[in-house]
Amino acid sequence: MENVLRPLIVLGSSVLLTLAIGWATDRLLRKADDRNHETPLWGQLRRARIPYQLVLCAALLRGSYDQAKLVERHQVGIGRTLTLVLIGSAAWLVIRIAAAIVETSYSRYARIHRDTARVRRVRTQVELIMRVVSAIVIVVAVASMLLTFPAMRAAGASLLASAGILGIVAGVAAQSTLSNMFAGLQIAFGDMVRIGDTVVVDGEWGTVEEITLTFLTVRTWDERRITMPVSYFTSKPFENWSRGTPQMTGIVYWHLDHSAPVEAMREKLRDILRQCPAWDGRAYGLQVTDTTPSTIQVRALVTAKDADDIWTVRVAVREQMITWLSTEHPYALPRVNTADAVLPPNRIPSPGGAALRKAYDFPRTGRG
């Protein structure tokens, strides 16, 4: 009877104690969250209750398993398994706690500072820091798990002896990976590009959606995702429309007939911009910038507070100006001229060809 009751008492008490401590801790965190609405720390810590309870349960079972006297033939294997679970759950708990602290710090910073560029920069740095912390914790946890096996400890001396050669080989093999990792840190703390920035890369316009230690994702205007190594942004030029002030100047071109009413177009541009909410009111202008034998090139300059609004202003100006020209001044639109050419002054038109032109010519003076 004792062989049955002892394992049940030990295992049952470990599970019940884990549930009780986990419930009490969660209740305390909930009350702290209700009393402190200005900080999300306690609510973030509540997300770690699963790894927290797993750590408690694994620790209690690992400490009391010897007293249970259950499956004594496999006691070493079960004990090592509980140790591995304890190490893994502890690493999970550390990552969750670190994420809660970092996220709380970022939320407080974003609430205090109104500069969106600085907030995006801090957000990029925070995410990369969390990835570095997670990578370090995982590496330490995996190393700790491996050290629980006697064979791994015995092989440690030989591994250390060949560490120099392995380091050289790993450095050569992982050269591109390491360069991307250093490039990711350079991007995060060098403020070259941030999450949420509007960029133009290889002719593609989009918004930076994700930055990791090795790659960067750009979401284009048509909702495609372009993924590229972060080393690209440290070795090649690219356009960052959000760096510094987000205000932008846009250009709209038209190819029109030489008779286009340029002055009336300036007045119409002013009226269009006054009715466009996306225009920031800073500046506008319209000039003839080029001419060809058949058309002239008219350019309009408009301004807006950011890249999204400048796109809205440009398409509105282009569409409404073309509609106005086609309705009020259709002669201003480019067309193919099929009429007879205008002859220079003192020239008589001659539809009859060379014979008719000869009749109007003065006779040449003869001899004698």
Side-chain angles (χ1 to χ4, degrees), residues 363-368:
R364 297 182 177 179
T365 305
R367 287 198 295 174

Side-chain angles (χ1 to χ4, degrees), residues 272-292:
I272 294 174
L273 292 176
R274 286 177 176 176
Q275 299 176 359
C276 182
W279 181 54
D280 62 359
R282 286 191 295 124
Y284 73 95
L286 188 142
Q287 297 86 22
V288 177
T289 57
D290 198 4
T291 180
T292 67

Side-chain angles (χ1 to χ4, degrees), residues 39-50:
T39 174
L41 175 62
W42 309 110
Q44 294 286 339
L45 288 176
R46 288 190 61 204
R47 298 181 180 179
R49 57 182 178 270
I50 294 179

Side-chain angles (χ1 to χ4, degrees), residues 165-200:
I165 300 176
L166 290 176
I168 296 174
V169 174
V172 174
Q175 183 178 2
S176 61
T177 303
L178 292 176
S179 64
N180 281 328
M181 291 181 63
F182 286 117
L185 295 175
Q186 184 179 353
I187 285 176
F189 295 97
D191 197 23
M192 299 175 59
V193 62
R194 300 155 300 202
I195 295 176
D197 281 2
T198 301
V199 297
V200 178

